[in-house]
Amino acid sequence: MTDEKYMYKAIDQALLAQEAGEVPIGAVIVYKDEVIASGYNIRETSQATLSHAELIAIDAANKKIGSWRLEDCTLYVTLEPCPMCAGAIVQSRIKRVVFGAFDPKAGCAGSIMNLLDEDRFNHQVEITSGILGDACGNLLTNFFRRLRQQKKTT
């Protein structure tokens, strides 16, 4: 039940991205049962590669805690992390990642590969997948459906 509670907060972040015309992906970081950071995708707005929800949330959590180490934190994200975000998650020492929808094209928490549980790295991350997966997936499906329809009419 707790995972769902925080995933709803990540979905709220994804809805903020959607309102801004961005791909609806949201993330929150929880430390000691408190949301300490959040972020949503702003890649189109910023035109910066690193503007993924997870990276924005990680940066905010680093500032909040005052350390690059997020060892006792859990990251909740609506979409399975990509290779770039998975690398940042490992480097930040996040303890656990909970994600909603699988990403068969770029997912690196089990879909294509699992960078979060790679034993050759000095840190592995516990993964819980599929939490509110349908709701998270529907956000993305509906967003891209609307985008394709808009392109057809213009």
Side-chain angles (χ1 to χ4, degrees):
M1 206 57 187
T2 300
D3 284 345
E4 289 181 359
K5 170 184 155 183
Y6 291 121
M7 187 59 73
Y8 279 119
K9 292 185 181 299
I11 289 171
D12 288 343
Q13 291 296 306
L15 292 171
L16 291 173
Q18 181 174 278
E19 288 172 18
E22 295 281 352
V23 177
I25 301 168
V28 297
I29 295 179
V30 175
Y31 176 71
K32 296 184 178 180
D33 293 321
E34 177 188 344
V35 174
I36 61 163
S38 60
Y40 58 86
N41 191 42
I42 57 166
R43 193 166 58 170
E44 295 302 319
T45 302
S46 70
Q47 288 299 301
T49 304
L50 302 178
S51 297
H52 285 202
E54 299 97 319
L55 298 182
I56 292 166
I58 287 170
D59 188 52
N62 292 148
K63 290 173 182 164
K64 175 80 174 179
I65 288 181
S67 173
W68 64 270
R69 293 178 180 268
L70 302 176
E71 294 169 325
D72 294 318
C73 294
T74 299
L75 169 71
Y76 291 84
V77 61
T78 57
L79 182 65
E80 180 181 3
C82 72
M84 175 177 67
C85 293
I89 290 163
V90 169
Q91 289 298 311
S92 69
R93 308 299 194 268
I94 287 174
K95 182 178 183 175
R96 180 171 176 246
V97 168
V98 179
F99 70 86
F102 285 89
D103 185 352
K105 294 182 180 181
C108 284
S111 287
I112 293 178
M113 64 180 57
N114 191 343
L115 291 176
L116 299 180
D117 194 30
E118 173 56 57
D119 62 5
R120 292 175 289 181
F121 290 139
N122 63 342
H123 177 73
Q124 290 75 42
V125 181
E126 181 185 338
I127 302 165
T128 303
S129 60
I131 301 298
L132 300 178
D134 289 341
C136 294
N138 287 338
L139 274 173
L140 292 160
T141 299
N142 293 336
F143 174 83
F144 286 113
R145 183 178 295 132
R146 283 191 302 275
L147 197 61
R148 285 189 299 274
Q149 289 171 345
Q150 288 173 354
K151 286 183 180 181
K152 285 181 184 178
T153 60
T154 56

PDB file of all heavy atoms in Angstrom, residues 45-61:
ATOM      1  N   THR A  45      11.067  21.217 -23.033  1.00  0.00           N
ATOM      2  CA  THR A  45      11.125  22.611 -22.590  1.00  0.00           C
ATOM      3  C   THR A  45      12.564  23.092 -22.467  1.00  0.00           C
ATOM      4  O   THR A  45      12.915  24.177 -22.936  1.00  0.00           O
ATOM      5  CB  THR A  45      10.410  22.767 -21.233  1.00  0.00           C
ATOM      6  OG1 THR A  45       9.063  22.325 -21.372  1.00  0.00           O
ATOM      7  CG2 THR A  45      10.426  24.207 -20.756  1.00  0.00           C
ATOM      8  N   SER A  46      13.395  22.278 -21.841  1.00  0.00           N
ATOM      9  CA  SER A  46      14.781  22.680 -21.579  1.00  0.00           C
ATOM     10  C   SER A  46      15.703  22.429 -22.762  1.00  0.00           C
ATOM     11  O   SER A  46      16.765  23.043 -22.845  1.00  0.00           O
ATOM     12  CB  SER A  46      15.318  21.923 -20.365  1.00  0.00           C
ATOM     13  OG  SER A  46      15.490  20.550 -20.700  1.00  0.00           O
ATOM     14  N   GLN A  47      15.307  21.498 -23.635  1.00  0.00           N
ATOM     15  CA  GLN A  47      16.168  21.044 -24.728  1.00  0.00           C
ATOM     16  C   GLN A  47      17.520  20.569 -24.198  1.00  0.00           C
ATOM     17  O   GLN A  47      18.559  20.740 -24.842  1.00  0.00           O
ATOM     18  CB  GLN A  47      16.330  22.140 -25.797  1.00  0.00           C
ATOM     19  CG  GLN A  47      15.084  22.358 -26.627  1.00  0.00           C
ATOM     20  CD  GLN A  47      14.667  21.113 -27.410  1.00  0.00           C
ATOM     21  OE1 GLN A  47      15.412  20.596 -28.220  1.00  0.00           O
ATOM     22  NE2 GLN A  47      13.445  20.635 -27.156  1.00  0.00           N
ATOM     23  N   ALA A  48      17.475  19.946 -23.024  1.00  0.00           N
ATOM     24  CA  ALA A  48      18.678  19.393 -22.400  1.00  0.00           C
ATOM     25  C   ALA A  48      18.482  17.891 -22.193  1.00  0.00           C
ATOM     26  O   ALA A  48      17.479  17.467 -21.622  1.00  0.00           O
ATOM     27  CB  ALA A  48      18.945  20.083 -21.064  1.00  0.00           C
ATOM     28  N   THR A  49      19.445  17.134 -22.647  1.00  0.00           N
ATOM     29  CA  THR A  49      19.382  15.676 -22.570  1.00  0.00           C
ATOM     30  C   THR A  49      19.153  15.170 -21.156  1.00  0.00           C
ATOM     31  O   THR A  49      18.446  14.189 -20.945  1.00  0.00           O
ATOM     32  CB  THR A  49      20.688  15.077 -23.125  1.00  0.00           C
ATOM     33  OG1 THR A  49      20.886  15.560 -24.455  1.00  0.00           O
ATOM     34  CG2 THR A  49      20.665  13.566 -23.127  1.00  0.00           C
ATOM     35  N   LEU A  50      19.739  15.829 -20.182  1.00  0.00           N
ATOM     36  CA  LEU A  50      19.700  15.351 -18.802  1.00  0.00           C
ATOM     37  C   LEU A  50      18.417  15.703 -18.064  1.00  0.00           C
ATOM     38  O   LEU A  50      18.325  15.474 -16.859  1.00  0.00           O
ATOM     39  CB  LEU A  50      20.900  15.904 -18.028  1.00  0.00           C
ATOM     40  CG  LEU A  50      22.277  15.550 -18.600  1.00  0.00           C
ATOM     41  CD1 LEU A  50      23.366  16.199 -17.765  1.00  0.00           C
ATOM     42  CD2 LEU A  50      22.474  14.048 -18.668  1.00  0.00           C
ATOM     43  N   SER A  51      17.419  16.212 -18.736  1.00  0.00           N
ATOM     44  CA  SER A  51      16.197  16.696 -18.084  1.00  0.00           C
ATOM     45  C   SER A  51      15.144  15.611 -17.871  1.00  0.00           C
ATOM     46  O   SER A  51      13.955  15.842 -18.054  1.00  0.00           O
ATOM     47  CB  SER A  51      15.615  17.858 -18.893  1.00  0.00           C
ATOM     48  OG  SER A  51      16.503  18.934 -18.906  1.00  0.00           O
ATOM     49  N   HIS A  52      15.582  14.447 -17.475  1.00  0.00           N
ATOM     50  CA  HIS A  52      14.647  13.363 -17.151  1.00  0.00           C
ATOM     51  C   HIS A  52      14.164  13.513 -15.712  1.00  0.00           C
ATOM     52  O   HIS A  52      14.876  14.048 -14.854  1.00  0.00           O
ATOM     53  CB  HIS A  52      15.330  12.008 -17.310  1.00  0.00           C
ATOM     54  CG  HIS A  52      15.509  11.585 -18.729  1.00  0.00           C
ATOM     55  ND1 HIS A  52      15.673  10.274 -19.080  1.00  0.00           N
ATOM     56  CD2 HIS A  52      15.539  12.293 -19.890  1.00  0.00           C
ATOM     57  CE1 HIS A  52      15.807  10.177 -20.394  1.00  0.00           C
ATOM     58  NE2 HIS A  52      15.740  11.399 -20.903  1.00  0.00           N
ATOM     59  N   ALA A  53      12.984  13.002 -15.444  1.00  0.00           N
ATOM     60  CA  ALA A  53      12.366  13.118 -14.124  1.00  0.00           C
ATOM     61  C   ALA A  53      13.276  12.599 -13.012  1.00  0.00           C
ATOM     62  O   ALA A  53      13.424  13.246 -11.973  1.00  0.00           O
ATOM     63  CB  ALA A  53      11.031  12.357 -14.109  1.00  0.00           C
ATOM     64  N   GLU A  54      13.879  11.439 -13.233  1.00  0.00           N
ATOM     65  CA  GLU A  54      14.724  10.837 -12.201  1.00  0.00           C
ATOM     66  C   GLU A  54      15.924  11.721 -11.875  1.00  0.00           C
ATOM     67  O   GLU A  54      16.283  11.884 -10.706  1.00  0.00           O
ATOM     68  CB  GLU A  54      15.259   9.467 -12.650  1.00  0.00           C
ATOM     69  CG  GLU A  54      14.189   8.436 -12.931  1.00  0.00           C
ATOM     70  CD  GLU A  54      13.843   8.335 -14.411  1.00  0.00           C
ATOM     71  OE1 GLU A  54      13.756   9.376 -15.087  1.00  0.00           O
ATOM     72  OE2 GLU A  54      13.639   7.201 -14.878  1.00  0.00           O
ATOM     73  N   LEU A  55      16.563  12.272 -12.907  1.00  0.00           N
ATOM     74  CA  LEU A  55      17.761  13.087 -12.679  1.00  0.00           C
ATOM     75  C   LEU A  55      17.429  14.386 -11.959  1.00  0.00           C
ATOM     76  O   LEU A  55      18.197  14.843 -11.102  1.00  0.00           O
ATOM     77  CB  LEU A  55      18.465  13.371 -13.999  1.00  0.00           C
ATOM     78  CG  LEU A  55      18.989  12.139 -14.743  1.00  0.00           C
ATOM     79  CD1 LEU A  55      19.700  12.554 -16.016  1.00  0.00           C
ATOM     80  CD2 LEU A  55      19.878  11.282 -13.869  1.00  0.00           C
ATOM     81  N   ILE A  56      16.285  14.957 -12.288  1.00  0.00           N
ATOM     82  CA  ILE A  56      15.843  16.182 -11.611  1.00  0.00           C
ATOM     83  C   ILE A  56      15.563  15.884 -10.141  1.00  0.00           C
ATOM     84  O   ILE A  56      15.976  16.631  -9.248  1.00  0.00           O
ATOM     85  CB  ILE A  56      14.619  16.776 -12.330  1.00  0.00           C
ATOM     86  CG1 ILE A  56      15.060  17.292 -13.708  1.00  0.00           C
ATOM     87  CG2 ILE A  56      13.955  17.864 -11.498  1.00  0.00           C
ATOM     88  CD1 ILE A  56      13.925  17.596 -14.657  1.00  0.00           C
ATOM     89  N   ALA A  57      14.897  14.752  -9.877  1.00  0.00           N
ATOM     90  CA  ALA A  57      14.604  14.368  -8.495  1.00  0.00           C
ATOM     91  C   ALA A  57      15.882  14.038  -7.723  1.00  0.00           C
ATOM     92  O   ALA A  57      16.027  14.418  -6.557  1.00  0.00           O
ATOM     93  CB  ALA A  57      13.633  13.191  -8.472  1.00  0.00           C
ATOM     94  N   ILE A  58      16.819  13.344  -8.355  1.00  0.00           N
ATOM     95  CA  ILE A  58      18.082  13.001  -7.691  1.00  0.00           C
ATOM     96  C   ILE A  58      18.837  14.269  -7.311  1.00  0.00           C
ATOM     97  O   ILE A  58      19.336  14.403  -6.187  1.00  0.00           O
ATOM     98  CB  ILE A  58      18.941  12.069  -8.573  1.00  0.00           C
ATOM     99  CG1 ILE A  58      18.335  10.663  -8.602  1.00  0.00           C
ATOM    100  CG2 ILE A  58      20.396  12.020  -8.081  1.00  0.00           C
ATOM    101  CD1 ILE A  58      18.958   9.730  -9.639  1.00  0.00           C
ATOM    102  N   ASP A  59      18.909  15.225  -8.231  1.00  0.00           N
ATOM    103  CA  ASP A  59      19.604  16.480  -7.949  1.00  0.00           C
ATOM    104  C   ASP A  59      18.952  17.213  -6.772  1.00  0.00           C
ATOM    105  O   ASP A  59      19.643  17.701  -5.873  1.00  0.00           O
ATOM    106  CB  ASP A  59      19.608  17.363  -9.201  1.00  0.00           C
ATOM    107  CG  ASP A  59      20.463  18.593  -9.035  1.00  0.00           C
ATOM    108  OD1 ASP A  59      21.639  18.470  -8.645  1.00  0.00           O
ATOM    109  OD2 ASP A  59      19.945  19.693  -9.299  1.00  0.00           O
ATOM    110  N   ALA A  60      17.631  17.256  -6.758  1.00  0.00           N
ATOM    111  CA  ALA A  60      16.914  17.917  -5.659  1.00  0.00           C
ATOM    112  C   ALA A  60      17.148  17.190  -4.331  1.00  0.00           C
ATOM    113  O   ALA A  60      17.326  17.823  -3.290  1.00  0.00           O
ATOM    114  CB  ALA A  60      15.423  18.000  -5.976  1.00  0.00           C
ATOM    115  N   ALA A  61      17.169  15.857  -4.360  1.00  0.00           N
ATOM    116  CA  ALA A  61      17.411  15.081  -3.137  1.00  0.00           C
ATOM    117  C   ALA A  61      18.834  15.300  -2.628  1.00  0.00           C
ATOM    118  O   ALA A  61      19.051  15.412  -1.414  1.00  0.00           O
ATOM    119  CB  ALA A  61      17.146  13.599  -3.388  1.00  0.00           C
TER     120      ALA A  61
END
